[in-house]
Amino acid sequence: LAENDWFSCRISACGLFAVCYNDAPPAIKTDLRASFTKLCADEMPMVRSAAFEEMKSLVPLMDKAVLKTEIIPVFVTLSQDDQEA
């Protein structure tokens, strides 16, 4: 879903990361974070907005080191995104 051409599929994918992240092995968690980060930088504002909204469910599941290096920079960028969704 996260790689689909239709933005509606990518929006739906945003809500699935928190569901599977906690039980995923470390290598898969890395892939999940990369896919989520890609959605946070999507060309469609609605996808970025959905990813930003879903961060509240995903962030509590992540290690502090990952948050500092990978997620906080993405959060800052999204919080400054002035495009309407």
Side-chain angles (χ1 to χ4, degrees), residues 15-30 32-33 57-63:
L16 299 176
F17 286 90
V19 174
C20 61
Y21 187 83
N22 214 29
D23 295 326
I28 300 298
K29 285 183 179 181
T30 301
L32 289 170
R33 288 193 309 271
S57 301
L58 188 57
V59 164
L61 305 175
M62 295 182 175
D63 296 328

Side-chain angles (χ1 to χ4, degrees), residues 40 52 55 67-68 70-82:
C40 290
F52 189 63
M55 275 189 174
L67 289 174
K68 287 181 182 178
E70 296 180 34
I71 302 303
I72 289 177
V74 172
F75 176 82
V76 169
T77 300
L78 285 173
S79 67
Q80 296 171 349
D81 189 353
D82 60 355

Side-chain angles (χ1 to χ4, degrees), residues 5-71:
D5 289 339
W6 291 83
F7 77 91
S8 57
C9 292
R10 297 192 309 270
I11 289 171
S12 296
C14 291
L16 299 176
F17 286 90
V19 174
C20 61
Y21 187 83
N22 214 29
D23 295 326
I28 300 298
K29 285 183 179 181
T30 301
D31 292 342
L32 289 170
R33 288 193 309 271
S35 292
F36 188 77
T37 300
K38 186 175 177 182
L39 290 171
C40 290
D42 196 90
E43 65 186 34
M44 296 296 293
M46 293 81 65
V47 176
R48 293 192 308 269
S49 179
F52 189 63
E53 181 67 26
E54 291 300 329
M55 275 189 174
K56 69 179 180 235
S57 301
L58 188 57
V59 164
L61 305 175
M62 295 182 175
D63 296 328
K64 288 184 181 183
V66 168
L67 289 174
K68 287 181 182 178
T69 60
E70 296 180 34
I71 302 303

